[in-house]
Amino acid sequence: MRIAVIEPSLCRISKCSHECVRFCPINRSGAKCVWIDENLRRAVIDEKLCVGCGICVKKCPFNAIHIVNLPEKLAGELVHRYGPNGFELFRLPIPKRNSVVGVIGSNGVGKSTSLRILSGELKPNLGVVDGVEWDEIIKFFRGSELQTYFQQLANRGLRTVRKPQEIDAIPRYVKGNVRELLLKVDERGVMSEVVQALALENVLDREVKHLSGGELQKLAIAAAMSRDADVYMFDEPSSYLDVRERLRVARAIRNLASGGNYVIVVEHDLALLDYMCDYVHILYGEPGAYGIVSLPRGVRTGINAFLRGVLKEENVKFREYEIKFHLKPPERVARPENIVASWSALQKRLNGFELEVTAGEIYAGEVIGIVGPNGIGKTTFVKMIAGEIPPDNGRISVKPNIRLSYKPQMIERESMEGTVREVLVKAGVDLTSSSTWSELIYPLGLHRLMERDVSELSGGELQRVAVAAALGKEADIYLLDEPMAYLDVEQRYAVARVVRKLTQERGASTLVVEHDLMAQDLIADSIIVFSGEPGVRGEASPPLNMREGFNRLLRELGITFRRDPDTLRPRVNKEGSRLDRYLKSMGEYYFTAL
C-alpha cells in the first residue's frame, strides 16, 4: 500500500499557499484526498482516497509530506495511531518474566511509544482515534502473551515504573539533594543496595542541580529501581555514562529480572544491550510515519539481524546498507610535516582536581577518540585545546591563524532560538552550498527538520543539529564532546561517516570524546586514554594506535571483548569466564577474533 503521510509538527499552514491542496487531483467521486483542517491547524490526507501519486509531496515547501510503502498484511496489527495521518505503531514488544527484553531501532519509529503503552501511560486505541475499551484491547491480543499482560494492566494488577529518556530536565523539576530524593522514592527498602550497586555514595549529599549528566542518569535509574513494581522500563539508560558505569548499570538491571519481574530496556549501545538482555525486538519503519515491531529474537541473532538490515523470517529488508565492523585496527604513523597542533606535558588544577597530560600531537586528516571514566578531565583537556582554559604548566602549540569549532557536552536548548535553519545559519553553516546539503544535512537527516522550531526537537534531533552546527563551519580542528548521546545506532553510524569524510576531505583534525566503544571503533584513527581517580586526579596518554589504546583502557577496567563470528561486532565477556581469562593472559582485550 503506497500512501502519502503528513508529519504534523512540520505542517505550517499559516506560512504557505496550500499548494498541496490546490494541485491535488480530484478522484472519481469529485473529492480531493488532501484538505486543510482548521481545527487541527494542518493539512489532512484521506488514506482511503490517496493513491500515492506524490504531487502533494513535491508541492509542500516544508517537507511535511512524504510517501511511504506500508505492507498490506499489517492492516490487522495496528496497535496505536496518533490522530488522523498521525504516527502508527504496529505490534508491541512482548515482556517476559525473569528476563530482560531489549528494544532496538531508529529514533522516531515508536520505541518510547511502545514503553508508554506497556507502562499504562498511554492506552492503545487500535487505530480508532476516539479510543476503545479495555475489553476490545484484550480481545485484540487474544492468544498471545500480551493478552494476560493487558488483563493485569487493565485490572491494576501490574505496577509499572519507567525511567524516561531525557534526564537533562530533572533539575528543573526535582529539588533537594540525592539522599532526600532516594529516601522519598525507596518503596522497597533497598536504597543502600541500589546506592552501592550504582556507586552513588559520593554524591548522596550533593544537590540535584549540581549533578553531571552521568550522575543524573544514575540517579534516575536508582529512583526507578527503588520503586516497588512488577514492570521496570529503562529508556536509554547509558547516555552520559562511561564504559565502567554502563556495565555497572547493566548488572543492576539484570538483577531486577531475577525476582520474577518484567524488565524492558531501550538502548542504542549494542555491546551493552547484548550484555544485559535475553531477548530483543527490532523496531523499523518510517520515522514520524509508522513503526513495526519485529518478532522476538535471541539477543545475539537479533542484534546481528539489525546490523544487516534484514529480517529473513519476516521477509523484510528495512535498510539498504549493512553496518560493518573491522577486525584490524589502523596503525598510527608519525607525520611531522602534517602536524596541526601539539602540546608539551600539561598540568591543570581546577576546583581541587588535578590533570596531567602527556605530550602529544595531532595530524591533519586524523580523527582522535578520547576515552576514559567520567570526571577524569576529558572535557577539561578539550577546553584547553580550544583555548577556553589555559594550562597551569606546559604549552599548546597550534598552526598560525588556526580555526576551531567546538560542540560542548551539554547542549543548552535555551541558547538556540528559532528554527533549525535559523540556528544553523547563525552558527555559520553555509546552507546555500550544495556540498553542505550532500555532505552534512542529508546524511544527518536534518532536511526534514529545517523549518522546525528548536524548542520542539527531541534530544536526538537537537544533538544532530548541534553536530551539524559544529561540523558546518570551516575549521582546522573540530572538538566534539559526546556527539552521539541520544542518537540511535544508524544515526551514530551516519555521524561517524560524516566526521571521517569531512576530516579527510578538509585536511582538518577532529577530537571526539565518546563513551560508546563501538562508536569509537567506527570513527577514530587513534585514541587518547584518560585514567586516574575521578574527581581527584586524571592522567592522559599521548595519542595511541587503536589496539594499544583499547588494550590500555580495558586493562584498567578489567573488561575483555570477543568478536561475533558473523558480524565481527564486539561482545563483552563475562568477568572470570574462560574467554575473559584467556584474553587477559594474551594481553588482547578488544581486537581479537574468537
Side-chain angles (χ1 to χ4, degrees):
M1 181 167 61
R2 190 171 187 267
I3 60 172
V5 299
I6 292 179
E7 291 191 50
S9 58
L10 297 181
C11 185
R12 302 284 194 269
I13 66 171
S14 60
K15 296 183 179 180
C16 67
S17 57
H18 306 165
E19 290 191 348
C20 59
V21 177
R22 289 173 50 206
F23 289 92
C24 177
I26 298 174
N27 61 27
R28 293 179 183 176
S29 64
K32 289 191 173 187
C33 63
V34 185
W35 71 92
I36 301 297
D37 189 312
E38 294 295 341
N39 294 323
L40 296 175
R41 300 292 299 160
R42 63 176 173 83
V44 177
I45 297 174
D46 189 318
E47 295 178 4
K48 294 182 180 178
L49 298 180
C50 177
V51 295
C53 66
I55 295 176
C56 58
V57 177
K58 297 175 183 177
K59 296 298 179 181
C60 178
F62 302 110
N63 295 314
I65 308 176
H66 52 281
I67 299 291
V68 302
N69 296 304
L70 192 61
E72 293 277 3
K73 64 180 181 180
L74 290 173
E77 299 184 71
L78 177 60
V79 171
H80 191 77
R81 171 187 283 173
Y82 287 103
N85 304 136
F87 177 82
E88 296 179 336
L89 178 64
F90 296 87
R91 307 188 196 135
L92 282 173
I94 302 172
K96 295 180 183 291
R97 286 195 184 274
N98 296 306
S99 298
V100 180
V101 175
V103 180
I104 185 174
S106 302
N107 287 332
V109 294
K111 299 187 301 298
S112 294
T113 296
S114 298
L115 292 195
R116 291 185 61 208
I117 290 174
L118 292 172
S119 68
E121 297 175 33
L122 180 65
K123 188 178 180 182
N125 60 21
L126 309 184
V128 180
V129 178
D130 297 331
V132 295
E133 298 300 322
W134 276 112
D135 289 344
E136 296 178 65
I137 296 170
I138 293 168
K139 182 180 178 182
F140 178 82
F141 291 106
R142 181 175 52 193
S144 72
E145 295 173 78
L146 286 170
Q147 178 184 5
T148 304
Y149 183 89
F150 279 111
Q151 282 175 337
Q152 293 177 308
L153 197 63
N155 297 328
R156 305 192 179 212
L158 281 180
R159 190 174 179 200
T160 64
V161 173
R162 182 172 71 92
K163 185 210 80 73
Q165 175 190 27
E166 293 190 36
I167 46 90
D168 302 353
I170 291 177
R172 294 203 294 267
Y173 303 104
V174 179
K175 308 301 178 185
N177 64 35
V178 173
R179 189 189 304 275
E180 293 169 347
L181 174 61
L182 291 180
L183 282 172
K184 190 181 298 183
V185 300
D186 186 20
E187 299 169 347
R188 299 168 56 213
V190 295
M191 175 180 161
S192 59
E193 291 91 333
V194 170
V195 166
Q196 184 177 2
L198 298 179
L200 286 168
E201 297 92 342
N202 294 334
V203 299
L204 284 176
D205 296 316
R206 194 178 300 174
E207 293 290 313
V208 172
K209 63 182 178 182
H210 294 148
L211 297 180
S212 67
E215 290 163 347
L216 281 173
Q217 184 70 266
K218 291 199 292 180
L219 173 61
I221 294 168
M225 289 180 171
S226 299
R227 298 278 191 183
D228 185 14
D230 304 289
V231 186
Y232 294 90
M233 302 181 183
F234 300 90
D235 200 344
E236 299 190 26
S238 73
S239 299
Y240 299 123
L241 298 181
D242 60 49
V243 178
R244 188 194 299 274
E245 297 297 339
R246 291 182 182 200
L247 292 177
R248 198 191 304 274
V249 164
R251 294 187 194 104
I253 290 175
R254 277 210 64 85
N255 289 337
L256 273 178
S258 60
N261 300 310
Y262 297 101
V263 180
I264 306 172
V265 181
V266 172
E267 182 51 61
H268 297 304
D269 185 330
L270 297 185
L272 189 69
L273 192 79
D274 188 7
Y275 184 73
M276 69 177 147
C277 294
D278 301 292
Y279 304 95
V280 67
H281 287 271
I282 297 170
L283 263 74
Y284 59 96
E286 185 74 24
Y290 72 94
I292 302 170
V293 181
S294 77
L295 300 175
R297 287 169 168 75
V299 64
R300 176 183 173 269
T301 57
I303 292 177
N304 286 352
F306 176 78
L307 291 174
R308 293 192 184 98
V310 176
L311 302 175
K312 292 182 180 179
E313 298 84 350
E314 300 173 43
N315 195 27
V316 170
K317 183 177 183 179
F318 58 88
R319 195 191 316 116
E320 292 300 321
Y321 60 90
E322 180 178 349
I323 298 176
K324 296 181 179 180
F325 293 88
H326 304 283
L327 187 59
K328 290 186 178 180
E331 291 291 334
R332 191 171 196 256
V333 180
R335 291 180 285 149
E337 71 282 2
N338 289 327
I339 294 177
V340 176
S342 63
W343 57 90
S344 64
L346 305 176
Q347 287 185 326
K348 181 68 183 178
R349 293 183 67 88
L350 196 67
N351 300 325
F353 175 79
E354 185 174 344
L355 174 64
E356 294 186 0
V357 181
T358 306
E361 53 197 20
I362 309 171
Y363 303 135
E366 180 181 37
V367 179
I368 299 179
I370 299 177
V371 296
N374 288 325
I376 206 72
K378 300 187 300 298
T379 298
T380 300
F381 171 70
V382 167
K383 287 184 176 180
M384 284 198 293
I385 296 295
E388 293 188 10
I389 300 176
D392 295 335
N393 292 305
R395 182 184 177 187
I396 299 173
S397 301
V398 296
K399 286 172 33 178
N401 303 317
I402 201 79
R403 298 167 298 175
L404 295 104
S405 181
Y406 176 44
K407 188 210 83 71
Q409 177 190 32
M410 304 293 282
I411 305 167
E412 297 181 1
R413 190 186 296 264
E414 295 77 12
S415 65
M416 297 180 174
E417 295 182 356
T419 65
V420 171
R421 183 185 298 275
E422 292 168 346
V423 167
L424 292 178
V425 170
K426 192 181 298 183
V429 180
D430 183 11
L431 294 180
T432 63
S433 168
S434 59
S435 63
T436 299
W437 286 82
S438 61
E439 295 178 354
L440 192 64
I441 303 300
Y442 284 118
L444 294 183
L446 295 178
H447 52 291
R448 290 182 180 168
L449 305 178
M450 299 303 285
E451 308 307 324
R452 288 268 298 275
D453 195 278
V454 172
S455 62
E456 303 172 351
L457 300 181
S458 67
E461 291 167 341
L462 188 65
Q463 186 72 260
R464 284 182 285 151
V465 172
V467 170
L471 293 177
K473 303 174 187 176
E474 289 290 337
D476 301 290
I477 300 177
Y478 295 93
L479 306 168
L480 307 178
D481 200 343
E482 298 198 30
M484 300 188 184
Y486 299 129
L487 300 188
D488 62 46
V489 179
E490 296 176 1
Q491 290 166 350
R492 294 179 187 197
Y493 187 63
V495 167
R497 288 190 297 179
V498 167
V499 168
R500 289 192 63 81
K501 184 176 181 181
L502 292 182
T503 300
Q504 292 170 359
E505 289 183 351
R506 296 173 180 176
S509 304
T510 304
L511 276 69
V512 181
V513 178
E514 181 55 49
H515 294 301
D516 186 339
L517 295 188
M518 295 175 73
Q520 290 285 22
D521 191 349
L522 292 169
I523 200 171
D525 299 303
S526 55
I527 291 285
I528 295 177
V529 180
F530 279 69
S531 57
E533 185 178 350
V536 179
R537 62 175 180 82
E539 299 173 358
S541 74
L544 306 170
N545 65 57
M546 297 291 283
R547 183 186 295 276
E548 184 180 353
F550 271 105
N551 281 342
R552 178 180 295 199
L553 172 70
L554 296 177
R555 185 182 297 114
E556 293 181 0
L557 297 176
I559 302 166
T560 60
F561 285 76
R562 67 189 182 278
R563 292 289 174 147
D564 183 86
D566 297 329
T567 62
L568 294 182
R569 65 180 174 88
R571 306 183 68 194
V572 184
N573 292 315
K574 287 192 171 107
E575 192 172 353
S577 66
R578 182 186 62 82
L579 273 177
D580 182 62
R581 297 194 309 271
Y582 174 66
L583 290 172
K584 286 176 179 176
S585 69
M586 291 176 57
E588 291 291 345
Y589 289 71
Y590 191 76
F591 291 102
T592 303
L594 288 173

